[in-house]
Amino acid sequence: SAIALITLGMAATEADAQFYIVKDGKVIVHSDADGDLLDYISFEKPSATVTFDSNDGSAVDPQVVPYNTTVTKPTDPERAGYKFSGWYKGEKVFNFSLPINGDITLKAKWKDASAGGAYTTPDAVDLGLSVNWASFNIGATKPEEYGDYFAWGEIEPKEEYSWSTYKWVKEDGYNWSDIYKYTAADNQEYTNWYEYDVVNKSFTFVGDNKTELDDEDDVATKLLGNDWQMPTYEQQLELRNNCYWVWTDSYKDESVKGYIVYKAKDDADKGKRNGTPAATYDVTDAHIFLPAAGCRSGAGLYNAGSSGDYWSRSLGTGDSDYARYLNFYSGYVDTGYYNRDYGYSVRAVQRKN
């Protein structure tokens, strides 16, 4: 875990100051301001209790954990007529990778089961690419439904999307200084990703340099099974550049706008984005439909019916604040990267055997 540097007591000058390096809740090194070792000290910090308020669901036992360790995520509670939406601390989804440094209460949130959004397994559509694409969005039950929205790396939809509710943001101060997951060293701006070692008098990068989601943070893998995953940036580019894209204002007469993405019948059609299908294409041909589901920011839904935003599995290049996504509107399809806390759609892919 991270090393914290603490100055105890009042010192007349810097030379008089004494420093304590704390690791895993224990003081392990006692030194002066120059880093010269004085002695070793070790003491234990107290335990903390994590209480689970199931909010009218089945009871969940509390857990007592040692100071500065993580709590085990319990089995999801059950509640008749509702789907479990996650454990929250206040209005924020709780991150079970955070160390516990005091007594806390986590509260369950629920979604009315009759509201739809069941995690139905989609069909796998072969578009002649390196992976098969799902026939509808995660949280939908058919292609023309928008489905659910997710922040990047989160596996549960929620009511509000912002940095203050984002899973990978530290609760006090809204930065990543104690988390470091999905932080690449190529962005030197974020000095809080570097720790100063008072003994060796040097900075060390403490991010994990991961540029692609682990399966445990991939909503497609978690909800649909190990055969499925969110597409990588390269797989989204492949979809953009090797299929025939047709914008429609009413997919299958359902008044839902978006792109029909056909398996290209010849090389000349690859990457084309025509307003109407060529005479040789219709919805009986192999295709997927990507609805213009818009995106969620804060508590609002924006641009539904005019644009679509679909997360990839890949971190943004050069800036770990951002993740890669596919963006489109009528006449335009491209990949980009944007803030990870936004609520975007997810269209899964299935690896071919």
Side-chain angles (χ1 to χ4, degrees), residues 167-187:
K167 176 178 180 178
W168 304 113
V169 177
K170 187 182 176 185
E171 295 195 14
D172 52 338
Y174 307 122
N175 60 65
W176 299 346
S177 61
D178 278 349
I179 299 176
Y180 308 124
K181 195 167 188 181
Y182 309 119
T183 51
D186 53 10
N187 187 342

Side-chain angles (χ1 to χ4, degrees), residues 118-193:
Y119 296 117
T120 305
T121 301
D123 292 329
V125 181
D126 188 350
L127 298 174
L129 307 175
S130 62
V131 290
N132 295 326
W133 283 76
S135 55
F136 48 77
N137 291 348
I138 291 182
T141 59
K142 56 184 179 180
E144 54 269 31
E145 291 178 349
Y146 288 169
D148 287 330
Y149 301 82
F150 301 88
W152 189 81
E154 295 187 3
I155 60 172
E156 297 169 341
K158 54 192 177 185
E159 298 175 359
E160 181 178 346
Y161 292 84
S162 66
W163 279 120
S164 64
T165 65
Y166 185 51
K167 176 178 180 178
W168 304 113
V169 177
K170 187 182 176 185
E171 295 195 14
D172 52 338
Y174 307 122
N175 60 65
W176 299 346
S177 61
D178 278 349
I179 299 176
Y180 308 124
K181 195 167 188 181
Y182 309 119
T183 51
D186 53 10
N187 187 342
Q188 301 293 320
E189 176 184 353
Y190 292 88
T191 56
N192 60 328
W193 297 353

Side-chain angles (χ1 to χ4, degrees), residues 260-307:
I260 306 172
V261 186
Y262 288 102
K263 179 179 180 179
K265 294 186 176 182
D266 57 61
D267 289 344
D269 289 338
K270 292 181 178 180
K272 283 190 176 180
R273 290 173 291 282
N274 293 344
T276 56
T280 55
Y281 289 88
D282 62 45
V283 291
T284 63
D285 294 313
H287 73 278
I288 60 172
F289 174 65
L290 297 175
C295 70
R296 288 197 173 275
S297 177
L301 175 62
Y302 298 91
N303 302 320
S306 62
S307 70

